[in-house]
Amino acid sequence: PTRRRAEHGAQRDVGCGRTWRERAEELTDREQIEVSRMVNEAQRTAMLAGCRKSRRGVVVWRGDTLDVLGRGANEPAVGACDRSERCRRACPRTCVHAEQVAILDAMRWMPRAAIPVRLLHVKIDDKNFVAPSGGPSCVECSKLILTAGIANVYLLHDIGWRSYPAVLFHELTLAELKLYRGPSSALGVVGAGR
């Protein structure tokens, strides 16, 4: 089941006077079918997350056959989360993200040809309902997504599922972290030389 609720946090301008949500693409009819098939798989995967602070699940699949290549849930790098304040504070530095786990799982099967590989990310609440994700914001995940050759990333927002081409996902992540000014800056990275 999917329950929508308002997203937390303000939308930031990420260039061109638009927010990350406005820069994401609406899904095509084919993508709607793909996402509807994958969301339950990602939701079931998120239910297995070892981290209780923020349970997330990811599915990586072939865009041509809809074969699932990898699954992943966020996990503490060492041991299990004990829900303590210490665990919650350390989580951003020690947790292995669901995207990372799913891509590592998929690497055994990922095609090296020009076959589109897609990634769907879900966040679930304490009742296991799919909840809207925030915008692109993790540079470690966006770098891995680009390097692995993922074509599109799908996130649920309060306005529905949206698609991010991998390069745009990475640019928006950098903009969110104020590391990117857009294509007009030198190399697009703040502080980069000419």
Side-chain angles (χ1 to χ4, degrees):
T2 301
R3 179 178 66 188
R4 294 186 183 160
R5 50 182 199 199
E7 293 181 75
H8 301 290
Q11 296 285 307
R12 289 195 184 101
D13 181 340
V14 291
C16 307
R18 300 185 327 178
T19 64
W20 50 259
R21 187 180 325 151
E22 292 167 332
R23 299 217 29 220
E25 299 172 359
E26 289 189 36
L27 273 55
T28 65
D29 290 341
R30 176 172 169 77
E31 287 175 316
Q32 290 279 1
I33 293 168
E34 290 180 38
V35 165
S36 68
R37 290 186 182 174
M38 297 301 158
V39 71
N40 290 333
E41 186 74 33
Q43 182 180 18
R44 283 191 301 274
T45 303
M47 289 180 201
L48 303 173
C51 179
R52 298 294 174 227
K53 177 182 176 187
S54 180
R55 296 185 307 154
R56 310 219 175 207
V58 168
V59 175
V60 176
W61 75 94
R62 285 178 60 134
D64 60 340
T65 64
L66 302 184
D67 292 334
V68 173
L69 301 171
R71 296 168 187 79
N74 52 329
E75 298 289 336
V78 178
C81 179
D82 60 7
R83 296 184 181 217
S84 69
E85 187 55 36
R86 178 191 54 79
C87 180
R88 292 180 72 77
R89 282 192 316 268
C91 185
R93 293 180 305 281
T94 61
C95 188
V96 179
H97 291 192
E99 296 89 339
Q100 296 165 330
V101 175
I103 290 170
L104 289 172
D105 185 40
M107 291 309 289
R108 302 174 290 177
W109 313 109
M110 283 181 60
R112 296 290 174 209
I115 296 169
V117 176
R118 306 184 198 302
L119 183 148
L120 179 130
H121 172 279
V122 298
K123 173 183 174 182
I124 60 173
D125 63 18
D126 57 352
K127 293 185 171 98
N128 294 329
F129 287 103
V130 174
S133 296
S137 62
C138 177
V139 72
E140 295 303 319
C141 290
S142 71
K143 288 188 309 187
L144 184 58
I145 287 165
L146 277 177
T147 302
I150 304 292
N152 293 83
V153 176
Y154 298 90
L155 299 176
L156 178 64
H157 300 302
D158 58 346
I159 57 174
W161 287 97
R162 291 295 183 260
S163 172
Y164 295 87
V167 171
L168 176 62
F169 186 84
H170 186 63
E171 289 173 356
L172 294 173
T173 298
L174 294 174
E176 177 73 11
L177 300 173
K178 300 194 181 346
L179 299 173
Y180 182 75
R181 290 190 195 130
S184 62
S185 67
L187 302 177
V189 179
V190 173
R194 293 199 183 266

